Amino acid sequence: MRLLLKVCAALALALPVVGIARSAPHAVAPADGGQRLILVTMDGTRWHDLFRGPDAALLADKRFTDPDMKDAVENAWATGPDHGAALMPFLHGTMAHRGVLYGNRDAGQCLQVANGMWFSYPGYNEILTGRADDAHITSNDKIYNPNVTFLEWLNRRPGFAGKVAAIGTWDVFPYIINDKRSGIAVNAAFGGRFPTDTLTMRAAFDTLRTVKPRVLYVGLGDTDELAHIGDYDQYLTAMNRDDDFIAELWRMAQADPAFRGRTTLIVTTDHGRGTAGGAAWTEHGSARSVEIDPAGFTIPDKAGFPGSEQIWLAALGPAVRAAQPVGSQCLHQNQIAASALVALGQDWRAFDAGAGAPLPFFAKDR
Ligand SMILES: [Zn+2]
């Protein structure tokens, strides 16, 4: 909990989007093809729930599931042949069928963080910069990121300058994206009380509709908040709400000629959660992160919370190949930045030749 408040406290009122250059609604597509990107992260969301649906042991445990909610959760999301699809219908439907949904260990799919911390700032840094940085990113403190994100790099390029928008439910996002240096207006919600993703979602819809950014990053946070307080039924409800939000964002994009047919959607998470059973699912972090800040954990454990390095990813759009087996190879979070740049028709090596290579689901010849 204390970790939660420190780590993830992100509670709040959305601020109006400011300082983002507006592009004309029917602007001529830039010469690079005018590809666009929508990146959505769901903080600390487990692959277990995404692929298996509600966990029977956590539903039966009164510490984590309100007995009055148990039947409702089971009737809604633990029914039919595919419980994961019942809980997250858009990710398992449109995204999995026309794109890719990856990270199901039950099907032998491995995707994990490369950083050694297994909590939020290191995860978002890795997603957005294409590199783990265990030397500098060792806390969730509000420290301006010394590393350059692909958002910042794009915001300095012709065709993208002023057309990169970021909205998040966590007030550390302005530091991660380094709004001061990058010039990207980061609309981060803060203050107030959670759940607050509804405010972030509203701001995202407004931004898509009015600003029409070429790159829109939306960082959702309720899942992690609710998991930290051990509220499993509400954590599942937040997942389901996120799925609905992502579906609506995609529907809006496909209804807009500026976005239709040229937009790639990527959905992922910054870290997983402990898999040791009992209350371990409420926590996340490596042995090293527990060592750095033992007081930050409700259940301090020298071994950390194994399993919280495990993540997943969904992608959809013109640059995404149909899902295909990649063998037993383990993929990493540091490959997401290059994947995003490939989807935008950009040379990811010009951003950072040392970043993780694009994920195999993304066309390389763009
Ligand atoms: Zn957390």
Side-chain angles (χ1 to χ4, degrees):
M1 280 279 280
R2 273 172 297 169
L3 181 69
L4 147 77
L5 291 172
K6 219 163 89 179
V7 168
C8 321
L11 317 174
L13 293 170
L15 292 178
V17 177
V18 289
I20 297 173
R22 286 165 190 259
S23 54
H26 303 291
V28 175
D32 60 14
Q35 294 98 324
R36 293 174 187 255
L37 173 75
I38 299 173
L39 170 65
V40 180
T41 52
M42 295 169 53
D43 200 304
T45 304
R46 310 192 310 167
W47 67 266
H48 310 72
D49 310 295
L50 172 59
F51 290 100
R52 295 174 181 169
D55 183 284
L58 294 180
L59 282 184
D61 193 325
K62 289 178 181 149
R63 287 177 296 169
F64 306 129
T65 301
D66 180 346
D68 292 338
M69 284 291 290
K70 185 169 177 285
D71 285 352
V73 168
E74 284 175 342
N75 290 336
W77 304 316
T79 181
D82 188 337
H83 296 180
L87 181 64
M88 302 291 283
F90 182 71
L91 266 66
H92 281 273
T94 303
M95 292 198 80
H97 292 151
R98 288 165 45 197
V100 64
L101 175 60
Y102 199 82
N104 184 4
R105 275 74 182 169
D106 295 334
Q109 300 170 345
C110 177
L111 179 64
Q112 62 189 50
V113 303
N115 72 73
M117 298 293 157
W118 312 355
F119 58 86
S120 288
Y121 196 146
Y124 293 121
N125 174 73
E126 186 174 334
I127 291 170
L128 297 175
T129 70
R131 285 181 189 244
D133 183 1
D134 290 346
H136 302 103
I137 313 297
T138 59
S139 80
N140 281 333
D141 294 345
K142 291 176 180 171
I143 294 169
Y144 281 106
N145 197 341
N147 307 309
V148 174
T149 67
F150 78 84
L151 303 175
E152 178 172 352
W153 183 75
L154 285 170
N155 201 42
R156 292 188 184 135
R157 291 183 69 78
F160 288 92
K163 293 175 182 166
V164 179
I167 302 163
T169 309
W170 192 28
D171 59 0
V172 182
F173 279 120
Y175 297 84
I176 297 169
I177 295 165
N178 202 328
D179 58 349
K180 271 190 181 172
R181 189 188 62 211
S182 67
I184 297 167
V186 182
N187 183 0
F190 45 84
R193 61 196 176 93
F194 80 102
T196 57
D197 280 343
T198 47
L199 299 172
T200 302
M201 291 168 183
R202 195 183 305 152
F205 290 143
D206 287 349
T207 300
L208 189 81
R209 192 164 37 229
T210 62
V211 178
K212 298 184 191 290
R214 283 198 64 183
V215 180
L216 174 62
Y217 172 47
V218 185
L220 302 172
D222 287 352
T223 42
D224 191 68
E225 295 288 349
L226 291 159
H228 277 294
I229 61 172
D231 194 336
Y232 189 62
D233 52 274
Q234 288 305 308
Y235 158 84
L236 293 174
T237 302
M239 285 183 70
N240 179 253
R241 188 166 55 235
D242 290 354
D243 183 87
D244 191 59
F245 160 71
I246 294 160
E248 179 62 16
L249 203 59
W250 183 250
R251 192 200 61 74
M252 279 179 63
Q254 295 309 302
D256 185 332
F259 289 88
R260 184 170 54 233
R262 59 174 74 172
T263 302
T264 297
L265 171 65
I266 298 175
V267 184
T268 189
T269 189
D270 53 336
H271 56 74
R273 317 200 70 82
T275 53
W281 79 278
T282 66
E283 295 274 18
H284 56 85
S286 66
R288 188 173 165 199
S289 72
V290 174
E291 193 181 318
I292 290 170
D293 184 15
F297 292 85
T298 305
I299 333 161
D301 186 328
K302 276 187 189 166
F305 297 90
S308 50
E309 77 280 17
Q310 300 171 355
I311 59 167
W312 51 268
L313 176 137
L316 174 64
V320 181
R321 301 168 175 174
Q324 53 185 300
V326 292
S328 56
Q329 173 193 14
C330 201
L331 306 175
H332 290 93
Q333 191 174 46
N334 64 15
Q335 298 178 264
I336 297 171
S339 303
L341 289 170
V342 162
L344 287 165
Q346 302 298 305
D347 177 5
W348 65 272
R349 288 185 181 85
F351 163 64
D352 181 356
L359 292 162
F361 326 115
F362 288 79
K364 290 187 175 66
D365 54 341
R366 296 174 68 89

